[in-house]
Amino acid sequence: MRPENQSSVSQFLLLGLPIPPGQQGVFFTLFLGMYLTTVLGNLLIILLIRLDSRLHTPMYFFLSHLAFSDISLSSVIVPKMLINMQTGQQSISYVGCITQLYFFILFAGLDNFLLAVMAYDRYVAICHPLHYTTIIREGLCVLLVAGSWILSCVHDLLHTLLLVRLSFSADNTIPHFYCDLAALLKLSCSDVSLNKLMIFTEAGMLFSLPFGVILGSYIRIGTIMLRVPSAKRLFKTFSTCGSHLSVVSLYYGTAAGVYFFSSSWGSKDIIASVMYTVVTPMLNPFIYSLRNRDIKQALEMCVNRVKFFKQQTLNPLVAVRSIER
């Protein structure tokens, strides 16, 4: 970076959540519990998919990457927020802010692409069941996930590089609990017209295309279901797509609340941002585990294995103690 393009500030101040001083401990415990639930829940999903051979299918392959992305997205935001709440320090360094923004855009975009890939997988499974194994091959699954990572990285790198060329004024207060791109652009004293143009064109296109794939997939699924209406078939389709539809509704509903319907840093924007960055990644494992029979069976089998190994380790000890007596 050239010296004349460097930021005029070395750090930013995050206003954080508007929590009364007497309730800081309560909210710290609440958000810490939610973060630990997010990490442990999604790690459990990844572990079950890894251990159970019955879950070695394209749908669960995509789900494991979505779980990893949710862990990463939450880890980019929540730990810093918790540290600020505990210490009372609201500052974040310039490098730390840019780094947080970089990974936030990366994993938010990755979620967007993975949800579209999973919708396409459900479309093929329901609308072309006889050709599913020939269409959704292992090579295609790897290609779709790799493409999602590559597109997310390129999109992320583009907006980060456009941001670091800007200079910032002495007013370095970010009215948020994390480094948000729109908030940083408002603080800049440089010309941000190119940044805004890229947000409305490139970012808008990369958001619209996956959403279009999801919408088109479910419209096609609905059309197929209505051609031959059957209660059994509808129930099977809902059980197959219900979890994904719930996650899609949470993701795009909260994202729309943060980036399309928010006007200022008010109570509604705070709730939408917390839902998008904290609550949604936490709920995803519950949605997939509570409404998915395969995950339940894999979890039950894993618990039974743990019990079996525990009994095997305890039995020799019991035998030794009986001999000693």
Side-chain angles (χ1 to χ4, degrees):
M1 192 189 309
R2 295 192 303 270
E4 62 268 25
N5 286 339
Q6 289 183 357
S7 172
S8 56
V9 296
S10 60
Q11 64 179 12
F12 295 97
L13 295 178
L14 296 171
L15 287 185
L17 299 173
I19 301 172
Q23 300 179 6
Q24 288 283 345
V26 176
F27 279 91
F28 175 83
T29 304
L30 174 64
F31 283 111
L32 178 61
M34 294 171 70
Y35 174 66
L36 293 177
T37 303
T38 300
V39 174
L40 295 176
N42 283 289
L43 279 178
L44 180 61
I45 294 289
I46 296 172
L47 182 64
L48 292 175
I49 294 172
R50 184 81 175 180
L51 294 178
D52 196 335
S53 59
R54 293 174 300 177
L55 301 181
H56 293 174
T57 62
M59 181 178 73
Y60 295 108
F61 174 71
F62 299 139
L63 177 59
S64 64
H65 283 270
L66 181 66
F68 174 78
S69 181
D70 283 338
I71 293 173
S72 304
L73 179 64
S74 187
S75 298
V76 168
I77 302 298
V78 181
K80 178 60 179 175
M81 180 181 70
L82 292 175
I83 292 172
N84 289 355
M85 290 173 63
Q86 186 67 16
T87 61
Q89 298 292 330
Q90 296 178 316
S91 63
I92 182 172
S93 67
Y94 175 80
V95 175
C97 187
I98 298 299
T99 303
Q100 186 185 64
L101 176 68
Y102 176 88
F103 286 106
F104 173 74
I105 296 176
L106 172 64
F107 292 112
L110 184 60
D111 269 6
N112 188 32
F113 290 117
L114 288 175
L115 289 174
V117 168
M118 294 172 74
Y120 174 70
D121 173 74
R122 293 300 83 203
Y123 158 73
V124 177
I126 294 172
C127 299
H128 304 282
L130 299 179
H131 302 286
Y132 179 78
T133 54
T134 57
I135 297 175
I136 309 295
R137 303 179 306 276
E138 181 179 356
L140 179 62
C141 294
V142 174
L143 184 64
L144 289 172
V145 170
S148 299
W149 275 96
I150 292 171
L151 286 175
S152 299
C153 288
V154 171
H155 163 70
D156 179 25
L157 192 61
L158 172 64
H159 289 279
T160 305
L161 291 176
L162 286 175
L163 180 68
V164 297
R165 70 184 180 87
L166 303 177
S167 296
F168 296 90
S169 61
D171 182 12
N172 60 346
T173 302
I174 299 176
H176 230 306
F177 58 91
Y178 64 93
C179 291
D180 181 65
L181 179 59
L184 286 170
L185 292 181
K186 289 180 181 179
L187 294 180
S188 175
C189 55
S190 303
D191 182 13
V192 297
S193 57
L194 180 59
N195 300 71
K196 291 183 177 180
L197 177 63
M198 294 307 297
I199 290 174
F200 284 113
T201 55
E202 185 269 346
M205 182 179 65
L206 288 185
F207 180 86
S208 301
L209 286 178
F211 183 74
V213 170
I214 295 171
L215 191 61
S217 297
Y218 279 108
I219 289 175
R220 183 60 178 164
I221 290 171
T223 303
I224 295 295
M225 292 299 103
L226 292 176
R227 284 181 183 176
V228 187
S230 168
K232 183 178 180 181
R233 193 176 182 186
L234 286 173
F235 177 78
K236 185 177 180 181
T237 302
F238 180 76
S239 63
T240 303
C241 302
S243 299
H244 181 260
L245 269 174
S246 301
V247 173
V248 166
S249 301
L250 272 174
Y251 177 84
Y252 285 100
T254 54
V258 173
Y259 295 108
F260 292 98
F261 301 116
S262 63
S263 56
S264 61
W265 183 234
S267 58
K268 293 182 179 179
D269 303 320
I270 296 171
I271 295 173
S273 297
V274 170
M275 286 289 296
Y276 183 65
T277 58
V278 183
V279 179
T280 299
M282 180 191 69
L283 291 180
N284 287 354
F286 290 99
I287 293 172
Y288 276 102
S289 59
L290 294 177
R291 303 181 64 174
N292 192 298
R293 185 178 59 185
D294 295 334
I295 295 290
K296 289 181 181 179
Q297 291 176 350
L299 180 59
E300 184 179 352
M301 187 179 70
C302 185
V303 171
N304 291 334
R305 283 182 180 178
V306 172
K307 290 181 179 179
F308 174 78
F309 286 122
K310 187 180 292 186
Q311 289 176 355
Q312 292 298 312
T313 55
L314 289 176
N315 287 338
L317 293 175
V318 173
V320 169
R321 289 177 181 176
S322 62
I323 292 173
E324 289 177 351
R325 289 177 182 177

